[in-house]
Tab-separated table of all heavy atoms in Angstrom:
chain	number	residue	atom	x	y	z
J	270	ILE	N	113.249	10.748	-3.609
J	270	ILE	CA	113.353	11.811	-4.624
J	270	ILE	C	113.912	13.116	-4.058
J	270	ILE	O	114.090	14.084	-4.797
J	270	ILE	CB	112.000	12.083	-5.325
J	270	ILE	CG1	111.026	12.804	-4.394
J	270	ILE	CG2	111.400	10.802	-5.870
J	270	ILE	CD1	109.800	13.331	-5.121
J	271	GLY	N	114.185	13.127	-2.748
J	271	GLY	CA	114.775	14.306	-2.145
J	271	GLY	C	113.843	15.493	-2.112
J	271	GLY	O	114.194	16.598	-2.544
J	272	ALA	N	112.623	15.280	-1.617
J	272	ALA	CA	111.623	16.350	-1.580
J	272	ALA	C	110.847	16.293	-0.280
J	272	ALA	O	110.832	15.270	0.412
J	272	ALA	CB	110.671	16.233	-2.772
J	273	THR	N	110.177	17.387	0.035
J	273	THR	CA	109.353	17.434	1.232
J	273	THR	C	108.044	16.688	1.012
J	273	THR	O	107.660	16.401	-0.126
J	273	THR	CB	109.028	18.889	1.612
J	273	THR	OG1	108.198	19.460	0.581
J	273	THR	CG2	110.303	19.712	1.784
J	274	ARG	N	107.349	16.413	2.100
J	274	ARG	CA	106.057	15.732	2.022
J	274	ARG	C	105.074	16.530	1.170
J	274	ARG	O	104.371	15.969	0.320
J	274	ARG	CB	105.498	15.537	3.433
J	274	ARG	CG	104.105	14.922	3.461
J	274	ARG	CD	103.547	14.870	4.877
J	274	ARG	NE	102.185	14.336	4.872
J	274	ARG	CZ	101.878	13.060	4.908
J	274	ARG	NH1	102.846	12.156	4.948
J	274	ARG	NH2	100.616	12.668	4.900
J	275	ASP	N	105.030	17.850	1.379
J	275	ASP	CA	104.092	18.678	0.623
J	275	ASP	C	104.381	18.624	-0.875
J	275	ASP	O	103.449	18.575	-1.698
J	275	ASP	CB	104.149	20.129	1.104
J	275	ASP	CG	103.497	20.313	2.473
J	275	ASP	OD1	102.798	19.385	2.914
J	275	ASP	OD2	103.705	21.372	3.095
J	276	ILE	N	105.663	18.630	-1.242
J	276	ILE	CA	106.032	18.573	-2.665
J	276	ILE	C	105.637	17.229	-3.264
J	276	ILE	O	105.084	17.162	-4.380
J	276	ILE	CB	107.548	18.814	-2.848
J	276	ILE	CG1	107.900	20.268	-2.541
J	276	ILE	CG2	107.989	18.456	-4.264
J	276	ILE	CD1	107.301	21.269	-3.499
J	277	VAL	N	105.904	16.138	-2.552
J	277	VAL	CA	105.566	14.802	-3.069
J	277	VAL	C	104.061	14.687	-3.315
J	277	VAL	O	103.619	14.232	-4.380
J	277	VAL	CB	106.049	13.702	-2.102
J	277	VAL	CG1	105.447	12.345	-2.492
J	277	VAL	CG2	107.574	13.612	-2.123
J	278	ILE	N	103.264	15.102	-2.340
J	278	ILE	CA	101.813	14.997	-2.499
J	278	ILE	C	101.330	15.903	-3.629
J	278	ILE	O	100.481	15.506	-4.446
J	278	ILE	CB	101.110	15.322	-1.169
J	278	ILE	CG1	101.395	14.212	-0.165
J	278	ILE	CG2	99.600	15.476	-1.377
J	278	ILE	CD1	100.806	14.429	1.204
J	279	LYS	N	101.889	17.110	-3.703
J	279	LYS	CA	101.507	18.008	-4.795
J	279	LYS	C	101.837	17.394	-6.149
J	279	LYS	O	101.019	17.446	-7.088
J	279	LYS	CB	102.219	19.352	-4.648
J	279	LYS	CG	101.890	20.338	-5.769
J	279	LYS	CD	102.623	21.654	-5.600
J	279	LYS	CE	102.281	22.618	-6.741
J	279	LYS	NZ	102.980	23.922	-6.596
J	280	LEU	N	103.022	16.770	-6.274
J	280	LEU	CA	103.412	16.158	-7.547
J	280	LEU	C	102.497	14.987	-7.906
J	280	LEU	O	102.140	14.805	-9.075
J	280	LEU	CB	104.864	15.689	-7.491
J	280	LEU	CG	105.931	16.789	-7.491
J	280	LEU	CD1	107.318	16.187	-7.353
J	280	LEU	CD2	105.842	17.621	-8.773
J	281	LEU	N	102.095	14.207	-6.919
J	281	LEU	CA	101.198	13.082	-7.194
J	281	LEU	C	99.880	13.575	-7.788
J	281	LEU	O	99.385	13.028	-8.782
J	281	LEU	CB	100.931	12.290	-5.913
J	281	LEU	CG	102.103	11.486	-5.348
J	281	LEU	CD1	101.722	10.868	-4.020
J	281	LEU	CD2	102.560	10.405	-6.323
J	282	TYR	N	99.312	14.621	-7.198
J	282	TYR	CA	98.036	15.132	-7.693
J	282	TYR	C	98.199	15.851	-9.034
J	282	TYR	O	97.310	15.779	-9.889
J	282	TYR	CB	97.387	16.034	-6.651
J	282	TYR	CG	96.680	15.246	-5.573
J	282	TYR	CD1	97.358	14.832	-4.437
J	282	TYR	CD2	95.345	14.884	-5.713
J	282	TYR	CE1	96.719	14.085	-3.453
J	282	TYR	CE2	94.700	14.139	-4.731
J	282	TYR	CZ	95.396	13.736	-3.611
J	282	TYR	OH	94.750	12.989	-2.654
J	283	LEU	N	99.328	16.532	-9.222
J	283	LEU	CA	99.585	17.162	-10.519
J	283	LEU	C	99.681	16.116	-11.618
J	283	LEU	O	99.138	16.291	-12.713
J	283	LEU	CB	100.887	17.969	-10.468
J	283	LEU	CG	100.813	19.419	-10.024
J	283	LEU	CD1	102.209	20.027	-9.989
J	283	LEU	CD2	99.912	20.220	-10.947
J	284	MET	N	100.386	15.024	-11.341
J	284	MET	CA	100.545	13.990	-12.361
J	284	MET	C	99.247	13.242	-12.620
J	284	MET	O	99.029	12.728	-13.709
J	284	MET	CB	101.682	13.042	-11.975
J	284	MET	CG	103.050	13.701	-12.117
J	284	MET	SD	104.438	12.532	-12.081
J	284	MET	CE	104.487	12.155	-10.346
J	285	GLN	N	98.360	13.204	-11.623
J	285	GLN	CA	97.030	12.646	-11.891
J	285	GLN	C	96.273	13.556	-12.850
J	285	GLN	O	95.697	13.090	-13.844
J	285	GLN	CB	96.232	12.479	-10.606
J	285	GLN	CG	94.801	12.016	-10.875
J	285	GLN	CD	94.027	11.680	-9.627
J	285	GLN	OE1	93.661	10.538	-9.406
J	285	GLN	NE2	93.778	12.666	-8.788
J	286	LYS	N	96.273	14.857	-12.595
J	286	LYS	CA	95.594	15.796	-13.482
J	286	LYS	C	96.176	15.749	-14.890
J	286	LYS	O	95.454	15.939	-15.876
J	286	LYS	CB	95.715	17.217	-12.937
J	286	LYS	CG	94.870	17.512	-11.711
J	286	LYS	CD	95.048	18.964	-11.306
J	286	LYS	CE	94.221	19.311	-10.093
J	286	LYS	NZ	94.418	20.732	-9.695
J	287	ALA	N	97.476	15.522	-14.980
J	287	ALA	CA	98.151	15.521	-16.275
J	287	ALA	C	97.968	14.223	-17.050
J	287	ALA	O	98.435	14.108	-18.184
J	287	ALA	CB	99.641	15.791	-16.079
J	288	GLY	N	97.294	13.237	-16.460
J	288	GLY	CA	97.064	11.975	-17.155
J	288	GLY	C	98.225	11.006	-17.049
J	288	GLY	O	98.370	10.120	-17.895
Side-chain angles (χ1 to χ4, degrees):
I270 72 169
T273 66
R274 176 185 177 86
D275 287 347
I276 290 295
V277 168
I278 291 178
K279 179 181 180 180
L280 289 177
L281 290 175
Y282 280 89
L283 271 178
M284 288 195 285
Q285 175 173 245
K286 287 182 180 179

